[in-house]
Amino acid sequence: AVVSTQSTGNPDEAASETTKKKVAAPPSDKIAVVLRNVGNAPILQKQKYNVDKNKTVKWMSNWIKGKLKLKEDEQVILYIAQHFAPPLDQHVGNLFDCFGTNDKLVVQYATQPAWG
């Protein structure tokens, strides 16, 4: 018996089925961080990053400051849960463990005090 399957003969169609884009989870030593601007802070073009769990809040603040291309005398203040600024020596992994939701940590950033 001969079995026939219908095919459009389009190789792009077959390839698209096998190479569907999947969102990869961050490596186990990294966490997904979503950055949200507050007040008049500039909006980052990319808002989701994978950050090493052992990085500190101070590192992240300086990193965001660089991404925003702020001047040396300008500040970036980070907030968790839209109301408190974590200590600068706190590790991002600890914040994720306590305040992470849906496998990500949402961090708000501002250039002037927003809450508190």
Side-chain angles (χ1 to χ4, degrees):
V2 175
V3 178
S4 173
T5 59
Q6 287 187 332
S7 172
T8 62
N10 183 348
D12 291 339
E13 185 176 297
S16 70
E17 288 298 313
T18 59
T19 59
K20 291 203 182 228
K21 193 173 189 179
K22 293 183 181 178
V23 177
S28 62
D29 61 335
K30 296 189 180 248
I31 57 167
V33 174
V34 178
L35 301 173
R36 302 272 188 239
N37 70 309
V38 175
N40 65 350
I43 299 172
L44 288 167
Q45 230 174 7
K46 180 180 172 187
Q47 296 178 344
K48 187 174 180 182
Y49 296 89
N50 292 329
V51 178
D52 188 313
K53 289 179 178 182
N54 295 318
K55 296 292 185 184
T56 62
V57 170
K58 182 176 182 176
W59 175 88
M60 192 159 46
S61 178
N62 289 333
W63 177 68
I64 293 169
K65 186 175 178 177
K67 292 254 177 226
L68 295 174
K69 298 180 173 107
L70 298 178
K71 296 175 186 172
E72 187 66 33
D73 62 338
E74 293 179 293
Q75 65 178 348
V76 171
I77 305 165
L78 303 183
Y79 294 97
I80 304 296
Q82 297 183 348
H83 73 281
F84 79 94
L88 293 177
D89 62 347
Q90 184 68 256
H91 288 102
V92 177
N94 292 342
L95 293 171
F96 175 79
D97 291 342
C98 296
F99 301 102
T101 56
N102 299 325
D103 295 326
K104 63 187 174 215
L105 176 65
V106 178
V107 177
Q108 293 83 22
Y109 64 92
T111 54
Q112 299 174 353
W115 294 287

